[in-house]
């Protein structure tokens, strides 16, 4: 039979199957908990005592795929113990089982982990459909579930829109819940219920703006309306007698009705005219609903004007009335004053602690190394300045609430585009903040995602498996788990400054720490290479001699960053420290077989160090004897055999301390 119809009292439509009924019901009722009715408890709402592992669900109704569920008494659900060492996230749902033909409360147990995920909701697999009620974080070895461990996940079933006047929408058959729609007959517009208020979805009609006896409309009809929770005015006004609004008085232009009055005074700049061309502007105040003369538009005229335009006046509809005045004192203002006073005291205390911490750090620092400290602080290399900024943050901690670290920190609000990341894991937010604070945010990705950061460097061909001083080091699978800034390395270790870490170095941390990690750890995925203008100090042999690279084979830190001339243009420089020694001329200089006084001065120093391989000389022309002498010097320094090749690196050159010479 091609046609079906049901339900009826007699005939073919008297027999209705479960599938037919659920199909029919789902057309007017979405899945979810039925919204509360007046006088009823919070439907299927969860509560805990904080004394045990029990969650109590209130009575209530729910709809799942057109099938109805009803619990007429409270239900106790026992949370399973977490005997592991990592947290777990569980769920409680209303579960439809089509095979068993029943709906019951279900408890879904998650998997413990450093970043645990809640169990997946079934949405039709094997005939199972889950409607979520609550999410529970179960700490390891805990004996009680606290209120802060429980997150309400209920979704409420939606029915047709409420059709009512504004005063009747609160007493509709069901109490207002987020997502409910109401159509207001008298105001001819739709409203949406949020968590705490009704918000207009469509503009209401334009309503005439009541004008005083001595003011009339100039162009159009001065009107007001509500649009998406805001009051808008339109039109312009003039004096009935045709004369100007003069500066002698504060002029009353109109009076808003109660529904359009703000709870607090508003001020606007409005255009005016003396002829067909606007030639002035004035301030128009809109008095509050608690003012002795509420809702008045008062114009503060500074020079004579003929017409005043109201189209610039738009303000949000206040949902909170002004505070009551008790004994002439505004209690909310008093509380705000006291809170501000506490904030000032706290800021002063924090500033004192910060000053003491920085003073202690400065006192603990070794004296400056004249060979590595630039004479002019303003000429500090970019990478060295960036590392200095990162090091100063060591010791900073995120906020705490309910006895736990909460990922609330100072960096996200200070990085444009990452404000949304407040309260989220913030290791890459910290890196982005450091680069921004150093004034070189273009040298690294502005992101909160480690995976995005890895892609950013790789797409630009600035990626290495070897340590980079001032480089961005990524950890974990694909570099997606954690990140830090490398400030130095040796044969065996790297030293980093990392945000959102802790004493053990895990990615789930509480502050900014200086970490030392094994250089060959499997957790290290790789390094992003910022294009520092003074050149990049790194250990990657494949990049040795490249433009913009200062190559160090065994170990390096920020003191090895060039300070005087740019390796970005020389192909590598150790920097002239101003001590009278010859700066590193670059590896390419030696490979060009130069004839230069620098070679003579270099050879004499190699002879003084007992590394000379000369039968004659040394002289200004580079020869195989010079290269063999350099190889002996590299061995004397203790370099690994692969780095004893007779071609100087900047650190090997600086260690030789070649006196200044006049080069060709």
């Amino acid at each position: 039979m091609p046609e079906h119809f049901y339900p009826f009292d007699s005939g073919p439509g008297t027999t209705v199957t479960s599938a037919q009924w659920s199909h029919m019901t789902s057309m007017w009722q979405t899945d979810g908990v039925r919204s509360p009715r007046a006088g009823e408890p919070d439907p299927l709402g969860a509560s805990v005592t904080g004394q045990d592992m029990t969650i109590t669900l209130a009575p209530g109704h729910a709809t799942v795929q057109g099938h109805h569920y009803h619990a007429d008494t409270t239900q106790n659900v026992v949370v399973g113990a977490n005997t592991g060492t990592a947290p777990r996230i569980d769920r409680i749902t209303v579960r439809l089982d089509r095979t068993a033909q029943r709906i019951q409360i279900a408890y879904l147990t998650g998997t413990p982990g450093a970043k645990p995920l809640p169990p997946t909701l079934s949405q039709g697999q094997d005939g199972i459909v889950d409607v979520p009620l609550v999410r529970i974080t179960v700490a390891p070895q805990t004996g009680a579930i606290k209120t802060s461990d429980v997150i309400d996940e209920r979704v409420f079933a939606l029915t047709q829109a409420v059709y009512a006047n504004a005063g009747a929408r609160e007493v509709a058959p069901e109490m207002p819940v987020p997502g409910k729609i109401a159509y207001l007959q008298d105001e001819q517009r739709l409203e949406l219920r949020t968590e705490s208020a009704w918000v207009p979805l469509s503009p209401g009609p334009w309503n005439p703006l009541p004008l005083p006896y001595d003011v009339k409309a100039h162009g159009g009809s001065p009107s007001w309306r509500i649009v998406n929770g805001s009051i808008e005015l339109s039109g312009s006004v003039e004096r009935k007698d045709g004369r100007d609004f003069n500066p002698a008085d504060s002029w009353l232009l109109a009076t808003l009705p109660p529904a359009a009055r703000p709870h607090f005074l508003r001020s606007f700049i409005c255009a005016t005219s003396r002829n067909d061309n606007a030639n002035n502007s004035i301030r128009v105040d809109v008095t509050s609903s608690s003012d002795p003369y509420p809702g008045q538009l008062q114009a503060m005229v500074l020079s004579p004007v003929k017409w005043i335009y109201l189209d610039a006046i738009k303000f949000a509809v206040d949902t909170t009335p002004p505070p009551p005045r008790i004994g002439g004192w505004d209690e909310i203002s008093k509380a705000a004053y006291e809170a501000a006073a506490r904030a000032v005291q706290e800021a002063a205390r924090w500033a004192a602690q910060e000053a003491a911490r920085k003073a202690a750090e400065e006192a603990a620092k070794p004296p400056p190394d004249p060979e590595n400290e630039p004479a002019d602080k303003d000429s500090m290399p970019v990478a060295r300045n960036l590392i200095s900024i990162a090091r100063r943050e060591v010791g900073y901690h995120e906020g705490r609430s309910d006895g736990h670290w909460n990922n609330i920190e100072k960096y996200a609000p200070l990085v444009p585009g990452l404000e949304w990341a407040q309260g989220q894991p913030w290791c890459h937010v910290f890196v982005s903040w450091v680069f921004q604070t150093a004034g070189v945010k273009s040298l690294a990705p502005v992101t909160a995602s480690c995976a995005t950061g890895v892609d950013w460097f790789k797409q630009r061909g600035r990626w290495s498996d070897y340590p980079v001083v001032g480089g961005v080091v990524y950890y974990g699978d694909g570099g997606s788990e954690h990140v830090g800034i490398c400030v130095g390395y040796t044969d065996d270790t790297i030293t980093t400054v990392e945000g959102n870490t802790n004493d053990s170095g895990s990615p789930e941390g509480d502050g900014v720490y200086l970490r030392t990690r094994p250089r060959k750890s499997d957790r290290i995925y790789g390094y992003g290479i910022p294009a520092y203008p003074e050149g990049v100090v790194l250990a990657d042999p494949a990049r040795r001699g490249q433009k913009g690279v200062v190559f160090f084979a065994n170990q390096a830190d920020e003191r090895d960053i060039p300070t005087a001339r740019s390796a970005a243009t020389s192909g590598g420089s150790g920097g002239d420290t101003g001590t009278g020694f010859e700066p590193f001329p670059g590896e390419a200089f030696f490979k060009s077989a130069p004839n230069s006084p620098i070679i003579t001065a270099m050879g004499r120093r190699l002879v003084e160090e007992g590394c000379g391989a000369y039968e004659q000389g040394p002289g200004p022309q580079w020869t195989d004897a010079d290269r063999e002498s350099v190889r002996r010097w590299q061995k004397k320094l203790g370099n690994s055999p692969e780095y004893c090749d007779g071609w100087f690196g900047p650190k090997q050159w600086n260690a030789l301390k070649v006196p200044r010479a006049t080069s060709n």
Side-chain angles (χ1 to χ4, degrees):
M1 185 175 182
E3 297 179 317
H4 304 274
F5 41 86
Y6 49 84
F8 288 98
D9 292 336
S10 62
T14 56
T15 301
V16 182
T17 66
S18 170
Q20 290 173 324
W21 181 261
S22 64
H23 178 76
M24 178 177 63
T25 306
S26 62
M27 295 176 68
W28 69 73
Q29 185 91 51
T30 61
D31 285 3
V33 176
R34 195 193 72 185
S35 57
R37 295 173 180 266
E40 290 184 348
D42 191 21
L44 299 178
S47 60
V48 298
T49 64
Q51 305 299 317
D52 54 27
M53 301 290 282
T54 301
I55 292 180
T56 300
L57 298 179
H61 299 257
T63 298
V64 188
Q65 300 286 292
H67 296 277
H68 189 69
Y69 170 81
H70 177 210
D72 55 9
T73 62
T74 59
Q75 300 180 78
N76 291 329
V77 181
V78 178
V79 177
N82 184 357
T83 59
T85 59
R88 189 184 78 215
I89 297 178
D90 299 347
R91 268 178 161 152
I92 298 176
T93 70
V94 178
R95 168 166 285 192
L96 164 66
D97 188 332
R98 295 188 186 277
T99 303
Q101 298 192 44
R102 61 190 304 130
I103 305 178
Q104 291 179 303
I105 296 298
Y107 191 90
L108 312 182
T109 303
T111 302
K115 298 181 179 179
L117 296 175
T120 302
L121 298 175
S122 295
Q123 295 298 302
Q125 302 93 320
D126 300 323
I128 303 295
V129 178
D130 286 308
V131 172
L133 295 181
V134 65
R135 179 185 299 188
I136 312 105
T137 299
V138 187
Q141 312 299 326
T142 186
I145 298 297
K146 305 184 296 297
T147 300
S148 58
D149 298 328
V150 179
I151 298 177
D152 187 355
E153 287 194 309
R154 288 176 298 174
V155 291
F156 288 91
L158 296 180
T159 58
Q160 69 274 18
V162 176
Y163 186 68
N165 289 320
R169 60 192 172 187
E170 299 292 347
V171 292
E174 294 181 350
M175 297 295 287
V177 295
K180 182 170 285 295
I181 303 294
Y183 178 74
L184 304 185
Q185 302 170 128
D186 290 351
E187 298 182 35
Q188 303 173 32
R189 59 183 171 83
L190 294 171
E191 288 196 341
L192 170 70
R193 180 68 185 190
T194 66
E195 288 287 347
S196 59
W198 289 97
V199 177
L201 288 180
S202 59
W206 284 106
N207 304 283
L209 187 63
L211 304 178
Y213 72 95
D214 56 347
V215 172
K216 68 176 183 177
H218 164 65
S221 299
S223 305
W224 68 274
R225 70 174 181 177
I226 299 179
V227 181
N228 295 331
S230 295
I231 302 296
E232 292 185 359
L233 304 189
S234 69
S236 58
V237 296
E238 61 179 315
R239 288 181 60 176
K240 281 185 179 179
D241 59 15
R243 291 189 290 178
D244 292 340
F245 293 102
N246 57 58
D249 299 298
S250 174
W251 289 91
L252 173 62
L253 305 181
T255 301
L256 290 169
R261 294 173 184 172
H263 284 311
F264 299 93
L265 177 70
R266 310 287 191 181
S267 296
F268 304 89
I269 299 300
C270 297
T272 67
S273 294
R274 287 189 56 82
N275 47 47
D276 290 338
N277 297 313
N279 61 0
N280 202 349
S281 61
I282 63 170
R283 191 184 88 194
V284 174
D285 293 333
V286 183
T287 60
S288 70
S289 56
S290 61
D291 191 90
Y293 301 97
Q296 290 192 351
L297 275 64
Q298 300 174 354
M300 311 301 291
V301 181
L302 300 180
S303 61
V305 297
K306 185 169 290 293
W307 309 313
I308 299 175
Y309 299 90
L310 308 178
D311 303 271
I313 299 179
K314 299 178 183 179
F315 55 88
V317 177
D318 298 307
T319 58
T320 304
R325 295 190 176 274
I326 302 175
W329 181 266
D330 184 331
E331 289 299 314
I332 289 182
S333 297
K334 179 181 178 181
Y337 173 82
E338 293 174 345
R342 289 194 298 271
V344 170
Q345 294 173 356
E346 179 66 17
R349 184 183 64 82
W350 182 87
Q353 291 178 344
E354 187 70 6
R357 181 181 70 82
K358 290 184 177 181
E361 287 181 354
E362 292 298 323
K365 287 181 180 179
D369 184 349
E371 292 191 9
N372 292 290
E373 191 72 18
D376 180 4
K377 292 290 185 180
D378 293 334
S379 66
M380 179 181 289
V382 170
R384 190 180 298 181
N385 178 52
L386 182 137
I387 290 173
S388 175
I389 291 170
R391 284 184 179 273
R392 287 199 297 267
E393 295 303 304
V394 172
Y396 172 82
H397 289 282
E398 65 187 41
R400 290 178 68 85
S401 56
D402 296 328
H404 300 281
W405 300 108
N406 58 16
N407 280 335
I408 302 299
E409 33 71 30
K410 68 179 182 180
Y411 304 109
L414 299 177
V415 182
L418 294 185
E419 298 90 346
W420 64 269
Q422 181 67 281
Q424 305 295 321
W426 50 278
C427 56
H428 213 304
V429 171
F430 171 71
V431 171
S432 298
W433 176 87
V434 171
F435 276 83
Q436 174 180 277
T437 304
V440 289
K441 64 180 181 181
S442 64
L443 300 187
V446 179
T447 181
S449 165
C450 295
T452 299
V454 170
D455 291 342
W456 191 92
F457 281 110
K458 285 188 173 181
Q459 289 171 5
R460 289 160 175 77
R462 305 197 66 82
W463 184 260
S464 178
D465 295 331
Y466 291 81
V468 180
V469 177
V472 184
V473 53
Y474 291 88
Y475 301 94
D477 185 17
S480 63
E481 295 180 9
H482 190 50
V483 68
I485 296 174
C486 179
V487 300
Y489 62 87
T490 69
D491 275 336
D492 302 316
T493 64
I494 62 169
T495 301
T496 60
V497 177
E498 300 170 14
N500 197 30
T501 188
N502 54 33
D503 284 327
S504 65
S506 75
E508 290 298 318
D510 55 67
V512 180
Y513 287 76
L514 186 69
R515 305 294 313 157
T516 298
R517 300 176 181 271
R519 175 170 161 178
K520 298 179 181 179
S521 168
D522 292 338
R523 289 201 65 239
I524 298 176
Y525 180 67
Y527 301 80
I529 310 173
Y532 291 120
E534 66 272 10
V536 181
V537 174
L538 47 68
D540 189 343
R543 293 180 177 269
R544 182 174 184 176
Q546 290 183 0
K547 183 178 180 180
V549 170
V550 180
F551 178 78
F552 285 88
N554 295 321
Q555 61 183 21
D557 55 36
E558 62 261 43
R559 293 172 296 179
D560 298 305
I561 297 169
T563 59
R565 80 179 170 186
S566 172
T569 57
S570 69
S573 172
D576 177 11
T577 62
T579 59
F581 298 119
E582 189 68 39
F584 181 50
E587 186 175 334
F589 170 78
F590 300 102
K591 291 184 177 181
S592 68
N595 188 301
S596 168
I598 294 177
I599 302 302
T600 303
M602 173 204 74
R604 289 170 179 167
R605 282 290 299 125
L606 290 170
V607 171
E608 292 172 0
E609 293 291 336
C611 298
Y614 304 99
E615 294 181 2
Q616 295 181 349
Q621 178 62 53
W622 175 271
T623 66
D624 289 342
D626 291 293
R627 184 174 180 186
E628 177 57 32
S629 300
V630 172
R631 186 180 289 110
R632 294 179 182 181
W633 171 241
Q634 291 169 330
K635 290 179 180 179
K636 182 176 181 178
L637 291 175
N639 292 152
S640 301
E642 63 267 29
Y643 298 119
C644 298
D645 55 5
W647 302 116
F648 272 115
K651 200 163 190 175
Q652 298 161 344
W653 176 266
N654 290 342
L656 187 60
K657 299 186 184 306
V658 178
R660 274 285 193 175
T662 302
S663 61
N664 291 337

